[in-house]
Amino acid sequence: MEFLQPATWAEALQMKAAHPQAVPIQGGTDVMVELNFDRYRPEYLLDLTRVGELAEWAPDDGRIRLGAGVSYTRVITELGGRLPGLAMASRTVGSPQIRNRGTVGGNLGAASPAGDSHPALLAAYAHVEAESVRGARQIPAEEFYTGVKRNALRPDELIKAVLIAPPSGPQQFCKIGTRNAMVISVAAFGLALHPDQEAVGTGIGSAAPTPRRALAAEQFLAQSLTGDGLWESRGALPDATSRHFADLVAEAASPIDDVRGTARYRVHSLSVMARRALIWAWNDFRRV
Ligand SMILES: Cc1cc2nc3c(=O)[nH]c(=O)nc-3n(C[C@H](O)[C@H](O)[C@H](O)COP(=O)(O)OP(=O)(O)OC[C@H]3O[C@@H](n4cnc5c(N)ncnc54)[C@H](O)[C@@H]3O)c2cc1C
C-alpha cells in the first residue's frame, strides 16, 4: 500500500487527481476499522492530517465554515453555542477517544445512514464544500447522500469543509441506541427551527438507505406555525400539531429490520423523538 502524505490542500488535490482510487484518511476511526478487518486493501491511502486548513473553522459570509478535519471534541468545546444541533449530535458520537479523532468530514466521507452528524446537518440546511483540481462546488446536504454509504463526491474530489448558518432558532438532536454510549444509532432525529425564514428543518438518521429530511413534516409544521401566528406570538404549541408532525416524520422513514432494531421500532421511536424534539425546541423558543 502506498501512503501519500500531502502537506498542503493544493498538493492533496493533485494527489487525488493523479490517484482517484486513493482512500482519504482523516481521523481514521472508520478507515482503520475497515483495514483492520481486512474489508479492503486500498492501493493508496491519502493522509490528510498534515493539511492544516482542514483542521480550522471560521465565520465565512454569515456562515460557519467548518474544516473537514475538525474533530467532534472541538465542535463540542468551540462551537457549542454557534452550531448547537451539530454539537448535540457530536456529544453522542462514540467515546472521548473517537470524538478526539473522528471528524464531521469523515462522517460525510463514510456517508453511513447511521452517521450522527447527518440529521443535524440536514436540519440546519448545511452545504458540503467539495473540491478537486477542476474547481470547488457546494452541495446541499440533502443532495450529498446518494445511497447506503455512498455520497455525491466525484472520484477526484475531496471534502474541504461544511458550511452551516448559525441558528436563528432552537435546534435539537435525539438518538436512540441499544445502550447510552459508544453505540451506533438505531434511529436518530435532528430538528432546527428557522424563525427568520418561518421554516423548519429536519433530519432522519438510521431509518432509510440514506439520511433524509422529512419534507412533508417540515412543511406542515412551518405552515401551521405561520397560520396560527405562533412564530409571532410564541404561544403554546397545540398538541394536535406536535402529534401530526411526529406522524409525518415517521411516515418519511423507510427503515429495515436489522441486528440493531426492527423497522417497526425505528418508525415508532422516530415519532417519539420528533415530538419530544419539537416540544423541547418550542419551549426554548418561547423562553427567549
Ligand atoms: C468505536 C467506534 C465508535 C463509533 N461511534 C460512532 C457514533 O456514535 N456515531 C457516528 O456517527 N459514528 C461513529 N463511529 C464512526 C466514525 O467515528 C465516524 O464516522 C467519524 O465521523 C469518522 O471520521 P474520521 O475523521 O475518523 O474519518 P476516516 O476514518 O478518516 O474517514 C471516513 C471516511 O471518509 C473519507 N474521508 C475522510 N476525510 C475525507 C475528505 N476530506 N474528503 C473525502 N473523503 C474523506 C474516508 O476515505 C473514509 O471513507 C464510530 C467508530 C468507532 C471505531
Side-chain angles (χ1 to χ4, degrees):
M1 196 187 303
E2 290 281 326
F3 193 65
L4 307 173
Q5 200 162 48
T8 64
W9 180 241
E11 221 182 314
L13 294 182
Q14 276 157 17
M15 287 176 174
K16 189 68 172 136
H19 307 287
Q21 73 278 38
V23 172
I25 178 165
Q26 185 70 56
T29 60
D30 277 317
V31 171
M32 290 311 297
V33 174
E34 302 279 305
L35 293 186
N36 284 341
F37 282 113
D38 226 1
R39 293 207 181 112
Y40 61 73
R41 198 131 293 262
E43 214 179 325
Y44 297 94
L45 268 185
L46 178 62
D47 173 26
L48 297 173
T49 53
R50 296 197 177 175
V51 180
E53 58 200 288
L54 290 181
E56 290 167 8
W57 66 264
D60 180 6
D61 199 18
R63 293 188 287 183
I64 298 292
R65 196 158 195 293
L66 180 70
V70 176
S71 69
Y72 292 112
T73 299
R74 289 186 53 206
V75 172
I76 296 163
T77 54
E78 298 169 29
L79 290 163
R82 297 192 218 212
L83 304 177
L86 187 61
M88 277 182 209
S90 301
R91 284 185 201 105
T92 74
V93 171
S95 60
Q97 295 89 334
I98 297 296
R99 293 193 289 272
N100 284 340
R101 295 287 315 175
T103 62
V104 175
N107 215 220
L108 285 163
S112 160
D116 285 317
S117 68
H118 311 315
L121 296 178
L122 286 166
Y125 306 155
H127 286 71
V128 179
E129 187 178 67
E131 194 169 338
S132 71
V133 288
R134 294 173 294 110
R137 63 186 177 121
Q138 287 183 19
I139 310 166
E142 66 263 33
E143 290 169 24
F144 186 77
Y145 314 105
T146 54
V148 179
K149 299 193 176 178
R150 297 174 70 91
N151 62 40
L153 287 183
R154 295 178 185 132
D156 61 346
E157 283 181 325
L158 292 169
I159 302 165
K160 190 174 189 189
V162 186
L163 292 149
I164 315 166
S168 69
Q171 302 186 342
Q172 281 294 338
F173 175 81
C174 306
K175 163 174 170 177
I176 288 200
T178 49
R179 57 184 186 186
N180 271 346
M182 273 293 274
V183 66
I184 304 176
S185 300
V186 173
F189 181 69
L191 175 72
L193 299 180
H194 301 279
D196 57 336
Q197 306 167 47
E198 298 202 349
V200 174
T202 60
I204 291 176
S206 273
T210 64
R212 59 164 71 150
R213 285 169 65 180
L215 291 172
E218 292 179 7
Q219 271 162 23
F220 161 74
L221 180 58
Q223 282 165 9
S224 301
L225 295 174
T226 302
D228 294 343
L230 289 174
W231 291 115
E232 197 67 33
S233 71
R234 300 188 188 218
L237 189 70
D239 198 44
T241 304
S242 62
R243 284 186 189 281
H244 192 53
F245 172 73
D247 289 344
L248 291 174
V249 169
E251 272 174 33
S254 51
I256 53 165
D257 292 335
D258 69 10
V259 285
R260 282 178 280 135
T262 62
R264 208 163 141 240
Y265 177 71
R266 288 187 156 102
V267 169
H268 175 68
S269 63
L270 261 180
S271 74
V272 173
M273 286 190 289
R275 187 153 176 265
R276 245 179 230 171
L278 174 55
I279 290 169
W280 290 338
W282 192 255
N283 287 342
D284 285 347
F285 186 57
R286 295 187 75 191
R287 265 197 290 272
V288 177

